Amino acid sequence: MSEPCFDVAHLGHVEMLTDKPEETLDFFVNVYGLTESGRDDTSIYLRAWDDYEFHTLKLTASDTTGLGHVAYRASSQAALERRVAVIESMGCGIGWVDGDLGHGRAYRFKSPDGHVFELYYDTKRYEAPEGEKPALKNIAQRYHGRGVAVRRLDHLNLLAADVSAIRDFMVQALGSRVTEMIQLNNGRIGGCWFTVNNKGYDVAFTEEHANAHARFHHVTYAVDQREDVLRAADIFLEHGVFIETGPHKHAIQGTFFLYVYEPAGNRVEVANAGARLILAPDWEPVVWTEEERKKGQAWGLKTIESFHTHGTPPIGETIIE
Amino acid sequence: MSEPCFDVAHLGHVEMLTDKPEETLDFFVNVYGLTESGRDDTSIYLRAWDDYEFHTLKLTASDTTGLGHVAYRASSQAALERRVAVIESMGCGIGWVDGDLGHGRAYRFKSPDGHVFELYYDTKRYEAPEGEKPALKNIAQRYHGRGVAVRRLDHLNLLAADVSAIRDFMVQALGSRVTEMIQLNNGRIGGCWFTVNNKGYDVAFTEEHANAHARFHHVTYAVDQREDVLRAADIFLEHGVFIETGPHKHAIQGTFFLYVYEPAGNRVEVANAGARLILAPDWEPVVWTEEERKKGQAWGLKTIESFHTHGTPPIGETIIE
Amino acid sequence: MSEPCFDVAHLGHVEMLTDKPEETLDFFVNVYGLTESGRDDTSIYLRAWDDYEFHTLKLTASDTTGLGHVAYRASSQAALERRVAVIESMGCGIGWVDGDLGHGRAYRFKSPDGHVFELYYDTKRYEAPEGEKPALKNIAQRYHGRGVAVRRLDHLNLLAADVSAIRDFMVQALGSRVTEMIQLNNGRIGGCWFTVNNKGYDVAFTEEHANAHARFHHVTYAVDQREDVLRAADIFLEHGVFIETGPHKHAIQGTFFLYVYEPAGNRVEVANAGARLILAPDWEPVVWTEEERKKGQAWGLKTIESFHTHGTPPIGETIIE
Amino acid sequence: MSEPCFDVAHLGHVEMLTDKPEETLDFFVNVYGLTESGRDDTSIYLRAWDDYEFHTLKLTASDTTGLGHVAYRASSQAALERRVAVIESMGCGIGWVDGDLGHGRAYRFKSPDGHVFELYYDTKRYEAPEGEKPALKNIAQRYHGRGVAVRRLDHLNLLAADVSAIRDFMVQALGSRVTEMIQLNNGRIGGCWFTVNNKGYDVAFTEEHANAHARFHHVTYAVDQREDVLRAADIFLEHGVFIETGPHKHAIQGTFFLYVYEPAGNRVEVANAGARLILAPDWEPVVWTEEERKKGQAWGLKTIESFHTHGTPPIGETIIE
């Protein structure tokens, strides 16, 4: 029996496209509580107060919304090379890029649904400038308490026409493990939650119901306590941010969640996982049936209809490749 | 540069000695909120509601208190064998044992201070009996809400005369990483926090100030929220359990903590780490100076004197080897 | 201008009818976390751990469900007499009763919709027996932590065909103040929240949409923290209790809520009001329009349909007088 | 037997003196989270987001620190006049003043220790300007989430040489009720907690151990949840605010507390009382013995020494009358 793969350390960052760059930036900085680390011609680099890298969110001005790319950091230079060799053999590689303000050389490749992935090891650590140095030196930046003040990047969710194909891809390409999944009555996989480390998930893929590809469902940052999620709801309410659903507890993964749309329409989540970790190296995926999913979320909240339909870019603008 | 080691998956269980086995059991079941999985001639096996294994705490009746042994689970059978080869080459091995009710064959070895460690891969998963099956199948046992109702084993803390020697031992033997440490002015390491995975720490060693060896400082289970720690304080208060210090937030690791003594005198903690994880594969240890530690805990609480002196077994009873 | 009335001190207790007395009792004691104080031929008297009186919930076995009566405690004997004189002059009085296990002489009267009210001053204080004495003597009973472990009676909600008539009745009979209300486009009052003290409300009346009278909507106990409401949701889930809606935050009054049905079908709430109090002696009622109410609850949750229809007793069994 | 008195509705505001007016203002606005309503020649008027009046804190520039005056709002104009008649007959009246930016005509009088009290009925309600209007109209101002973002004024604590005399004064002058008190072995009252409404206390007096009079111990605003107190601790830490003690739970009143010093040295508290209310109209004071108080706070934290000595103004500057 093969050993678990530890070549990929963690989700690194997400590039989000926005056609309302100023409003989106204002949302992420003043309402969601991220901090800008830098900017270049097309993008602004943001991070949460305890993200150790230069950025975890790259906001790129665009004529549409959705995902630019998603990046994972490898466990070492050697691990990066091992993964690239595998990915190239899978035939889904794009090739090396030089990196950007936040990290060095990175290898790009595509999911079966067309999402652009990136794998890198060389990174730029965040160095807190004066005024942002924390009182306790084991956090990356002082707790500024601005807006929701999320702590760190947690995960993202992407839409794909064929989640089964995605499952094979994630397991092979990144060495991800499936922690939970939805098995539909028609034999297809309705959703699949993956992790490369001890978190319950760093990416989820759920079935795309539109005739579209490579769409984005949401990105999530973690807060320390469920109370922070409740407080976030009041902050969103007072700022006129559209709250789609929550706060409530997911049946799958048990995460306490709250979903909103940032001004350009990308869905953004605030979440808390409690003390949950996937520690078992031989964790068996939890498989949910269609019937079980009909019970709704953990405490009975019906899954909101738009959760099954709203992705970015919106349908008319989706890039069909 | 070498790659990080992933051979050890997680802290598996702690064997605690007690000379008041009935009172200790009552505390852990009815106040702390663990559940009994089984018992044999000398021991009772306990676990928290989301521990996936048969047990995480083995209570063993003894004529004293303190640590029986501490066990880690390897990432795979091959990883176990790699670790055993290293440990044997280090000269600190004891040898293979057959395991107990909770797991299969295990390799025993000793820390430089004499603490007994165990490494195993074959384990017995907890299967919830009728009446303990959870409403949501991604947790190990239903949330019973009994007493403090801790969620899962988190870490332990051991005392050692020479923490520097322990550091070398942990890094070599288990492939642990040092996440934080205290550098004393006299050149010694006052305390060292280790992890084998994404948790901030699974074991801490702090300096033994008595003429004793292999002593135990405390074991900790995690709860989901800081509010659970505050609620635990009321439960301990109403049950007449001795509260040593807390609730407060540690400067080191940022954990929200509460320390009590179980009836036989072993120190037990309830803790919440918020959303903190060590995701960087190349995390640099955070080094605290003696002066920084004099500031006390995160919000200024002075570290209580007994925290530096109380270990189990008590001094007169310590096994000097 | 007249002065505010302080003749009535607080909501005292609610008598709930149940046609499944054993299951209902098990729910209130083991899941909701009340404690039995005593029982007589037809009823069992229950209270929460910080209720100062002998009982705040009287469970009465019946061939149906719903409200037996609701009782308020007067501020003094003289205040009781003043109120009774007013009530008698209003023509809605029933007369004096001797009281029950929990209190002395009480005056009974009826709301315009037929709900039986009771006003009393002589009461029986709870004296904690050995084993229930608290560690800190400023709470009525030890914090036992059993089930949801609600702290104290908070309020109840009743249905009435003509809420405007109820408003006049409550203001006149009890000297209640209206803190918030719903003004329907058809000119009727859709709901009205009343208080006799600094709480935001001790009773709410909402419009009855069925051809029925004197029905009960729900009774609510308070917990100390919103986290206790979230924890309650897990406890209800694990006990198979039907969760109707929540946890979420009410737009009206801002209360954090969770609604369930006890086994006989009566609706029961767990709630937390945060630090909200009505301190202004000349508080002006907050008036919500029908349009404003269409926005749903505070963070956008749509008010569940059954909230407008489910009352007890169920329609077929409603006593039409 | 006399009836309880309801002539005084609630604590209205506290005037605090500061010899560092700019730093003190910055603390209260940007760290503590109050909002300025207005200013005149010597003072700045502040309030928390759910205080319904124009101000609850009046910061007055001075050559020292401590209490300017404390004001209570009467239940009605008639109640105000009744109280003034009583106070004048007690011989501790000062006389009528015209009020300030926040309220109309007020009657001034002195405590036996020399603290200046004020009683008023005519008040100025806060009208939220554009940009501060709440999303839900039952709160006074939008939840801005700035700094600690306290919700409303809760209570204050004053020092007095003779707490027994204060007890008589408060009961007579304001009709306050004693909810809890400390009975010292020497026969004196060590501390006394008073309320005019359903809150556990709106003012506490504790014994002055210095040769001084009319000193101020602390003022407290309430937050909705204990988690808000924990979050406040991080905010204070990051802003370099001196944290004196806490967070912890008081044995007396059960309040969850955190004490800091604002830049000029006045002690300020953040607190949460959970769902505790004093509903009984005939509440018997809880009397704590000296021995009981030696146990420290609720969960065993020893009361910090400075809590018994630090008041404002500091001793050398105390106005001896």
Side-chain angles (χ1 to χ4, degrees):
Chain A
M1 188 190 174
S2 71
E3 295 192 54
C5 173
F6 299 99
D7 283 348
V8 182
H10 62 84
L11 173 65
H13 53 266
V14 172
E15 183 186 22
M16 178 185 282
L17 308 181
T18 171
D19 53 5
K20 297 184 180 173
E22 284 180 34
E23 290 104 313
T24 298
L25 179 64
D26 178 66
F27 167 83
F28 278 113
V29 171
N30 295 314
V31 183
Y32 204 57
L34 301 184
T35 300
E36 181 179 335
S37 313
R39 52 177 76 193
D40 58 23
D41 283 355
T42 53
S43 302
I44 295 179
Y45 298 76
L46 300 164
R47 45 179 292 292
W49 58 265
D50 203 24
D51 283 326
Y52 78 91
E53 292 179 284
F54 180 78
H55 79 292
T56 50
L57 184 69
K58 181 177 180 175
L59 276 189
T60 297
S62 169
D63 56 0
T64 185
T65 51
L67 179 75
H69 75 278
V70 48
Y72 279 78
R73 187 166 182 224
S75 296
S76 66
Q77 187 59 38
L80 172 59
E81 286 159 21
R82 280 195 297 273
R83 283 300 104 201
V84 170
V86 169
I87 293 164
E88 290 191 329
S89 76
M90 289 167 64
C92 56
I94 299 176
W96 291 95
V97 293
D98 283 341
D100 54 24
L101 290 191
H103 60 91
R105 206 157 170 257
Y107 188 80
R108 292 206 151 199
F109 55 106
K110 272 199 183 174
S111 85
D113 204 73
H115 305 92
V116 177
F117 276 69
E118 206 174 80
L119 200 56
Y120 67 100
Y121 177 68
D122 276 340
T123 194
K124 182 171 180 178
R125 284 172 179 269
Y126 172 72
E127 298 286 345
E130 277 311 309
E132 293 297 335
K133 291 200 189 304
L136 296 171
K137 61 190 185 186
N138 49 10
I139 57 176
Q141 177 189 358
R142 78 186 183 101
Y143 172 70
H144 49 66
R146 189 179 61 248
V148 176
V150 292
R151 180 168 189 156
R152 61 163 174 75
L153 176 62
D154 192 83
H155 69 270
L156 82 164
N157 183 308
L158 300 172
L159 297 171
D162 181 350
V163 180
S164 295
I166 290 288
R167 180 181 54 173
D168 296 343
F169 161 76
M170 290 296 290
V171 171
Q172 277 187 266
L174 295 182
S176 296
R177 295 186 286 158
V178 176
T179 53
E180 307 203 23
M181 55 185 282
I182 299 168
Q183 182 64 60
L184 300 177
N185 292 342
N186 59 19
R188 293 205 307 273
I189 297 177
C192 203
W193 282 254
F194 302 93
T195 188
V196 294
N197 52 35
N198 295 127
K199 283 172 33 54
Y201 52 125
D202 46 48
V203 68
F205 279 84
T206 45
E207 200 175 66
E208 169 70 83
H209 297 133
N211 182 21
H213 284 289
R215 291 213 300 165
F216 173 82
H217 195 267
H218 68 263
V219 66
T220 306
Y221 279 70
V223 286
D224 279 331
Q225 305 293 320
R226 299 199 290 202
E227 258 301 322
D228 295 319
V229 179
L230 300 181
R231 186 175 163 270
D234 277 334
I235 291 174
F236 290 136
L237 175 69
E238 293 289 14
H239 281 84
V241 173
F242 175 71
I243 299 175
E244 185 186 35
T245 186
H248 203 88
K249 179 179 169 175
H250 279 302
I252 297 176
Q253 303 282 355
T255 317
F256 194 69
F257 67 82
L258 174 63
Y259 291 97
V260 301
Y261 296 172
E262 57 84 29
N266 292 299
R267 188 188 280 104
V268 179
E269 187 188 18
V270 178
N272 175 268
R276 188 178 202 220
L277 291 174
I278 302 297
L279 296 171
D282 47 0
W283 176 268
E284 290 291 326
V286 176
V287 183
W288 301 85
T289 65
E290 214 171 311
E291 188 174 43
E292 287 168 337
R293 293 303 306 126
K294 281 181 183 153
K295 292 180 188 170
Q297 300 304 324
W299 301 318
L301 182 72
K302 293 304 163 201
T303 304
I304 201 159
E305 183 54 27
S306 59
F307 210 71
H308 298 300
T309 57
H310 180 84
T312 48
I315 291 306
E317 304 171 38
T318 305
I319 301 146
I320 309 288
E321 305 182 52
Chain B
M1 187 189 175
S2 71
E3 296 193 52
C5 174
F6 299 100
D7 283 349
V8 181
H10 62 84
L11 173 65
H13 53 266
V14 172
E15 182 187 22
M16 178 185 283
L17 308 182
T18 171
D19 52 5
K20 297 183 180 173
E22 284 181 34
E23 289 105 313
T24 298
L25 179 65
D26 178 67
F27 167 82
F28 277 113
V29 172
N30 295 314
V31 183
Y32 204 57
L34 302 184
T35 300
E36 180 179 334
S37 312
R39 51 177 76 192
D40 57 24
D41 283 355
T42 55
S43 302
I44 294 179
Y45 298 77
L46 300 165
R47 44 179 293 293
W49 58 264
D50 203 23
D51 284 324
Y52 78 90
E53 293 179 283
F54 180 76
H55 79 292
T56 50
L57 183 68
K58 181 177 180 176
L59 277 189
T60 297
S62 168
D63 56 0
T64 185
T65 51
L67 179 74
H69 74 278
V70 48
Y72 279 79
R73 190 170 179 218
S75 295
S76 66
Q77 187 60 38
L80 171 60
E81 285 159 21
R82 280 195 296 273
R83 283 298 105 200
V84 171
V86 168
I87 293 164
E88 289 191 330
S89 76
M90 289 168 65
C92 57
I94 298 176
W96 291 95
V97 293
D98 283 342
D100 54 23
L101 290 191
H103 60 91
R105 206 161 168 253
Y107 187 80
R108 292 205 151 198
F109 55 107
K110 272 198 182 175
S111 85
D113 204 73
H115 305 93
V116 177
F117 276 70
E118 207 175 79
L119 200 56
Y120 67 98
Y121 176 68
D122 275 343
T123 194
K124 182 171 180 179
R125 285 172 179 271
Y126 171 74
E127 297 287 344
E130 276 313 309
E132 293 297 335
K133 291 199 189 306
L136 297 170
K137 62 191 183 184
N138 49 9
I139 56 174
Q141 177 188 357
R142 77 184 183 102
Y143 173 69
H144 49 67
R146 189 179 61 248
V148 176
V150 292
R151 180 168 189 155
R152 62 163 173 75
L153 176 62
D154 191 82
H155 69 270
L156 82 165
N157 183 308
L158 300 172
L159 297 171
D162 181 351
V163 179
S164 295
I166 291 288
R167 180 180 55 174
D168 296 343
F169 161 78
M170 290 296 291
V171 171
Q172 276 187 267
L174 295 182
S176 297
R177 294 187 286 158
V178 176
T179 54
E180 306 202 22
M181 56 186 281
I182 299 168
Q183 182 64 61
L184 300 178
N185 292 341
N186 60 19
R188 295 205 307 271
I189 298 177
C192 204
W193 282 253
F194 302 93
T195 189
V196 295
N197 53 35
N198 295 128
K199 283 172 34 54
Y201 53 125
D202 46 49
V203 69
F205 278 85
T206 44
E207 200 175 64
E208 169 70 82
H209 296 133
N211 182 22
H213 284 289
R215 292 212 299 164
F216 172 82
H217 195 268
H218 69 261
V219 66
T220 306
Y221 279 71
V223 286
D224 279 330
Q225 306 291 322
R226 299 199 291 201
E227 258 300 322
D228 295 320
V229 179
L230 299 182
R231 187 176 163 270
D234 276 334
I235 292 174
F236 290 136
L237 175 70
E238 294 289 14
H239 280 85
V241 173
F242 175 71
I243 298 175
E244 186 186 34
T245 186
H248 203 88
K249 178 179 170 175
H250 278 302
I252 298 176
Q253 304 282 355
T255 318
F256 194 68
F257 67 83
L258 174 63
Y259 291 97
V260 300
Y261 296 172
E262 56 84 30
N266 292 297
R267 187 188 280 105
V268 179
E269 187 188 16
V270 177
N272 175 269
R276 189 179 201 218
L277 291 174
I278 302 296
L279 296 172
D282 47 2
W283 175 268
E284 289 293 325
V286 176
V287 182
W288 301 84
T289 64
E290 212 170 313
E291 188 173 43
E292 288 168 337
R293 291 304 304 127
K294 282 183 183 148
K295 291 181 188 168
Q297 299 304 324
W299 301 319
L301 182 72
K302 294 305 162 199
T303 304
I304 202 160
E305 182 56 26
S306 60
F307 209 71
H308 298 301
T309 56
H310 180 85
T312 48
I315 292 306
E317 305 172 35
T318 305
I319 300 148
I320 309 289
E321 305 181 51
Chain C
M1 189 192 174
S2 71
E3 295 191 53
C5 174
F6 299 100
D7 283 349
V8 181
H10 62 85
L11 174 64
H13 54 265
V14 173
E15 183 186 22
M16 178 186 282
L17 308 181
T18 172
D19 53 4
K20 297 183 181 174
E22 284 180 33
E23 290 104 312
T24 298
L25 179 64
D26 178 67
F27 167 83
F28 278 112
V29 171
N30 296 313
V31 183
Y32 203 57
L34 301 184
T35 300
E36 181 179 334
S37 313
R39 53 176 77 192
D40 57 25
D41 283 356
T42 54
S43 302
I44 295 179
Y45 298 77
L46 300 165
R47 43 177 294 293
W49 58 266
D50 204 24
D51 283 326
Y52 78 91
E53 292 178 285
F54 180 77
H55 78 291
T56 51
L57 183 68
K58 181 177 180 176
L59 277 189
T60 298
S62 168
D63 56 0
T64 185
T65 50
L67 179 74
H69 74 279
V70 49
Y72 278 77
R73 188 167 180 222
S75 295
S76 65
Q77 187 61 35
L80 172 60
E81 286 159 20
R82 281 194 296 274
R83 283 299 105 200
V84 171
V86 168
I87 293 164
E88 290 191 330
S89 75
M90 290 167 63
C92 57
I94 298 177
W96 291 94
V97 293
D98 283 341
D100 55 23
L101 289 191
H103 61 91
R105 207 157 169 255
Y107 188 81
R108 293 206 150 197
F109 55 107
K110 272 198 182 175
S111 85
D113 205 74
H115 305 93
V116 177
F117 276 68
E118 205 175 82
L119 198 57
Y120 67 99
Y121 177 68
D122 275 342
T123 194
K124 184 172 179 179
R125 284 171 180 270
Y126 172 72
E127 298 286 345
E130 277 312 310
E132 293 296 336
K133 291 199 189 305
L136 296 170
K137 61 191 184 186
N138 50 11
I139 57 175
Q141 177 188 358
R142 77 185 183 101
Y143 172 71
H144 49 67
R146 187 179 62 247
V148 176
V150 292
R151 180 169 190 155
R152 60 163 175 75
L153 176 62
D154 192 83
H155 69 271
L156 82 165
N157 184 308
L158 300 172
L159 297 171
D162 182 349
V163 180
S164 296
I166 290 287
R167 181 180 54 173
D168 297 343
F169 161 77
M170 290 297 290
V171 171
Q172 277 187 265
L174 295 183
S176 296
R177 294 187 287 158
V178 176
T179 54
E180 308 202 22
M181 55 185 281
I182 298 169
Q183 182 64 61
L184 299 177
N185 292 341
N186 59 20
R188 293 205 309 272
I189 298 177
C192 203
W193 282 253
F194 302 93
T195 189
V196 294
N197 52 35
N198 296 128
K199 283 173 33 52
Y201 53 126
D202 46 49
V203 69
F205 278 84
T206 45
E207 198 174 67
E208 170 69 84
H209 297 133
N211 182 20
H213 284 290
R215 291 212 300 165
F216 172 83
H217 195 267
H218 68 263
V219 66
T220 306
Y221 279 71
V223 287
D224 279 330
Q225 305 291 323
R226 298 200 289 202
E227 258 300 322
D228 295 320
V229 179
L230 300 181
R231 185 174 164 272
D234 277 333
I235 291 175
F236 290 136
L237 176 69
E238 294 289 14
H239 280 85
V241 173
F242 175 70
I243 298 176
E244 185 186 34
T245 186
H248 202 89
K249 179 179 169 175
H250 278 302
I252 298 177
Q253 304 282 355
T255 317
F256 195 68
F257 67 82
L258 174 63
Y259 291 97
V260 301
Y261 296 173
E262 57 83 30
N266 293 297
R267 188 188 279 104
V268 179
E269 187 188 17
V270 178
N272 175 268
R276 187 176 203 221
L277 291 174
I278 302 297
L279 296 172
D282 47 0
W283 175 268
E284 289 292 325
V286 176
V287 182
W288 301 85
T289 65
E290 213 170 313
E291 189 173 43
E292 287 168 337
R293 292 304 305 126
K294 281 183 184 151
K295 291 181 187 170
Q297 300 304 324
W299 302 317
L301 182 72
K302 294 303 163 202
T303 304
I304 202 159
E305 183 55 26
S306 59
F307 210 71
H308 299 300
T309 56
H310 180 85
T312 48
I315 292 306
E317 303 172 38
T318 305
I319 301 147
I320 310 287
E321 307 183 50
Chain D
M1 187 189 173
S2 71
E3 295 192 53
C5 174
F6 299 100
D7 283 348
V8 182
H10 62 84
L11 174 65
H13 55 266
V14 172
E15 183 186 22
M16 178 186 281
L17 308 182
T18 171
D19 52 6
K20 298 185 180 172
E22 284 181 34
E23 290 106 311
T24 298
L25 178 64
D26 178 66
F27 167 83
F28 278 113
V29 171
N30 295 314
V31 183
Y32 204 57
L34 301 184
T35 300
E36 180 179 334
S37 314
R39 53 177 75 193
D40 57 25
D41 283 355
T42 54
S43 302
I44 295 179
Y45 298 76
L46 300 165
R47 46 179 291 295
W49 58 264
D50 203 23
D51 283 326
Y52 77 91
E53 293 178 282
F54 180 76
H55 79 292
T56 50
L57 183 69
K58 181 177 180 175
L59 276 188
T60 297
S62 169
D63 56 0
T64 186
T65 50
L67 179 75
H69 74 279
V70 49
Y72 278 78
R73 188 168 181 222
S75 295
S76 66
Q77 187 60 37
L80 172 60
E81 286 158 21
R82 278 194 299 272
R83 282 299 104 201
V84 170
V86 168
I87 293 165
E88 290 191 329
S89 75
M90 288 167 65
C92 56
I94 298 176
W96 290 94
V97 293
D98 282 342
D100 54 22
L101 290 190
H103 59 92
R105 207 159 168 256
Y107 187 81
R108 291 206 150 197
F109 55 107
K110 271 197 184 176
S111 85
D113 204 73
H115 306 93
V116 177
F117 276 69
E118 206 175 80
L119 199 57
Y120 67 99
Y121 177 67
D122 275 343
T123 194
K124 183 171 180 178
R125 285 172 178 270
Y126 173 74
E127 298 287 344
E130 275 314 308
E132 293 297 334
K133 291 199 190 304
L136 296 170
K137 61 190 184 186
N138 49 10
I139 56 174
Q141 178 188 358
R142 77 185 183 100
Y143 173 70
H144 50 66
R146 187 178 63 248
V148 176
V150 291
R151 179 168 192 156
R152 62 162 173 75
L153 175 62
D154 192 81
H155 70 270
L156 83 163
N157 183 309
L158 299 172
L159 297 171
D162 181 351
V163 180
S164 295
I166 291 289
R167 180 180 53 174
D168 296 343
F169 161 77
M170 290 295 291
V171 171
Q172 276 188 266
L174 295 183
S176 297
R177 295 187 287 157
V178 176
T179 55
E180 307 203 21
M181 55 185 281
I182 299 169
Q183 182 64 61
L184 300 178
N185 292 342
N186 58 20
R188 294 204 307 273
I189 297 177
C192 203
W193 282 253
F194 301 93
T195 189
V196 295
N197 53 35
N198 295 129
K199 286 174 29 55
Y201 53 126
D202 45 49
V203 68
F205 278 84
T206 45
E207 199 176 65
E208 169 70 83
H209 297 132
N211 181 22
H213 284 289
R215 292 214 298 166
F216 172 82
H217 195 268
H218 68 261
V219 66
T220 306
Y221 280 71
V223 287
D224 278 331
Q225 305 292 322
R226 298 199 292 203
E227 258 300 323
D228 295 320
V229 179
L230 299 182
R231 186 175 164 272
D234 277 334
I235 290 174
F236 290 136
L237 176 69
E238 294 289 15
H239 280 84
V241 173
F242 175 71
I243 298 175
E244 185 186 35
T245 186
H248 201 89
K249 178 180 169 176
H250 278 302
I252 297 176
Q253 304 281 358
T255 318
F256 195 68
F257 67 83
L258 174 63
Y259 291 97
V260 301
Y261 296 172
E262 56 83 31
N266 292 298
R267 187 188 280 105
V268 179
E269 187 188 16
V270 178
N272 175 268
R276 188 178 202 220
L277 291 174
I278 301 296
L279 296 172
D282 48 0
W283 175 268
E284 290 291 326
V286 176
V287 182
W288 301 85
T289 64
E290 214 172 310
E291 187 173 43
E292 286 167 339
R293 291 303 305 126
K294 282 183 183 151
K295 291 181 188 169
Q297 299 303 326
W299 301 319
L301 182 72
K302 292 305 163 200
T303 304
I304 202 160
E305 182 55 26
S306 60
F307 210 71
H308 298 301
T309 57
H310 180 85
T312 46
I315 291 306
E317 304 172 37
T318 305
I319 301 147
I320 308 289
E321 306 181 50

